[in-house]
Amino acid sequence: MSHRIRLFAMGSGRGPAGQVAEIVDALDVGVSQYANAIGECFFTVPYNHPQISAISPLQTHYEIARLNQRTLAWDVLGVGILDGYKADANEVTATGRDYLSLLDTSITSSTTSYTTALVGTIINNEWTIAKAQVDSRLAFVTTGTINATSQTATVISAYESRLHFMRGAINILTASNSTRPIMQISRSSPHTFSFNQNQGSLKPAVRLEYGGLISDFKYDPGYATLASDFMGIGQKRVGATILYSERNWISFSTYGLIQVPKVYIDVTDQAALDAMVIHDARVSARIGKGIAVQIEPGTAGGLQPWDGYDVG
């Protein structure tokens, strides 16, 4: 019994209400969370599980916790709404998405535009609109601290996933610096939306080494997708004007001239295109884009997500 899954009925503001099930014998459990993106979950139970009827997609909230072997307390790993299941003759696998993912099914208006607006203002405005929509699935989430930021952006969107649009504004914030901007909805009640322009800090005292805290790893440096010269083509919404921006983040002398083009739709002006191209040039210039590590848990010096750290 290492994981506990609690299921809750749909309540006020489409938030979690009374508990309808508690499952401690799931056959397989998985939870994922990503910065400024969709987090997911899954768990599997036998076809004849006594609480299987509580799995009602889009009508049931979930909370998945893991037993902390050090403190013997339940650490909540993920919360959200079940969004489906698959069944066969032997078992049922339920799936869900976290609360932040609900912004992905909230769509911007047909004329959403911001001119030299603070990134924090963009995040705050879009969040406020999503929360206030009729029958919004985010109505129950409270609003916490949303940093204003000092970086401005000029962006435009039409009928676009609000999560994607907000993440695009955040990418502009990280175009030429190493801040860690994070928007998130807390796992504990009251569930609260917040945006921190530079969340977290480096932990140099925590040594991640193979044979120590790392028990297994996979490393794909990403040389095949490296670009030394990133070339952006921007299509403006109004008129037939085409904008161009060329940026590089690493020296041509190291790997030679490796050019990559990308088309950007609904660009407002040259400055906005430049910021987006700078961000993508940084990403394309990275060596070590594909790193996966298995971190050794346990009671003696082990490290696991949400056990005092948000491992990133």
Side-chain angles (χ1 to χ4, degrees), residues 48-69:
N48 58 351
H49 194 280
Q51 294 178 298
I52 203 168
S53 61
I55 299 174
S56 180
L58 306 183
Q59 295 293 317
T60 307
H61 292 251
Y62 69 82
E63 176 198 88
I64 298 180
R66 176 190 57 218
L67 184 63
N68 188 316
Q69 298 297 328

Side-chain angles (χ1 to χ4, degrees), residues 189-298:
S189 181
H191 302 291
T192 304
F193 175 86
S194 61
F195 171 66
N196 190 323
Q197 65 178 329
N198 191 21
Q199 180 165 314
S201 61
L202 298 177
K203 297 292 184 182
V206 179
R207 189 174 183 87
L208 298 179
E209 58 181 344
Y210 182 60
L213 286 180
I214 296 179
S215 58
D216 197 6
F217 71 91
K218 292 181 180 180
Y219 178 54
D220 179 2
Y223 287 100
T225 57
L226 182 139
S228 59
D229 192 25
F230 203 91
M231 314 177 78
I233 305 168
Q235 177 185 333
K236 296 187 71 175
R237 175 183 294 186
V238 179
T241 304
I242 300 296
L243 302 175
Y244 299 91
S245 181
E246 183 177 0
R247 293 289 186 272
N248 58 77
W249 204 259
I250 55 175
S251 172
F252 297 160
S253 62
T254 303
Y255 297 106
L257 180 62
I258 307 174
Q259 296 179 308
V260 172
K262 181 177 179 180
V263 176
Y264 301 82
I265 306 298
D266 285 341
V267 175
T268 52
D269 58 19
Q270 187 65 49
L273 178 63
D274 289 343
M276 290 185 282
V277 172
I278 289 172
H279 172 268
D280 289 342
R282 286 188 67 194
V283 173
S284 297
R286 289 175 184 161
I287 298 297
K289 291 189 284 287
I291 303 174
V293 296
Q294 179 172 307
I295 298 176
E296 187 67 29

Side-chain angles (χ1 to χ4, degrees), residues 119 149-152 169-181 197-198 249 275 278-279 282-283 286:
V119 171
T149 74
S150 58
Q151 174 71 47
T152 61
I170 290 174
N171 286 344
I172 293 175
L173 182 63
T174 62
S176 56
N177 57 61
S178 59
T179 60
R180 294 174 286 264
Q197 65 178 329
N198 191 21
W249 204 259
I278 289 172
H279 172 268
R282 286 188 67 194
V283 173
R286 289 175 184 161

Side-chain angles (χ1 to χ4, degrees), residues 8 16 84-85 89 102 111-112 114 118 150 168 195 201 218 225 269-270 303:
F8 302 88
Y85 62 81
L102 302 183
T111 55
T112 301
Y114 296 92
L118 293 173
S150 58
F195 171 66
S201 61
K218 292 181 180 180
T225 57
D269 58 19
Q270 187 65 49
L303 184 69

Side-chain angles (χ1 to χ4, degrees), residues 91-109:
E91 60 189 23
V92 173
T93 299
T95 58
R97 291 190 174 193
D98 66 7
Y99 292 140
L100 189 66
S101 74
L102 302 183
L103 282 168
D104 192 51
T105 53
S106 175
I107 305 301
T108 63
S109 73

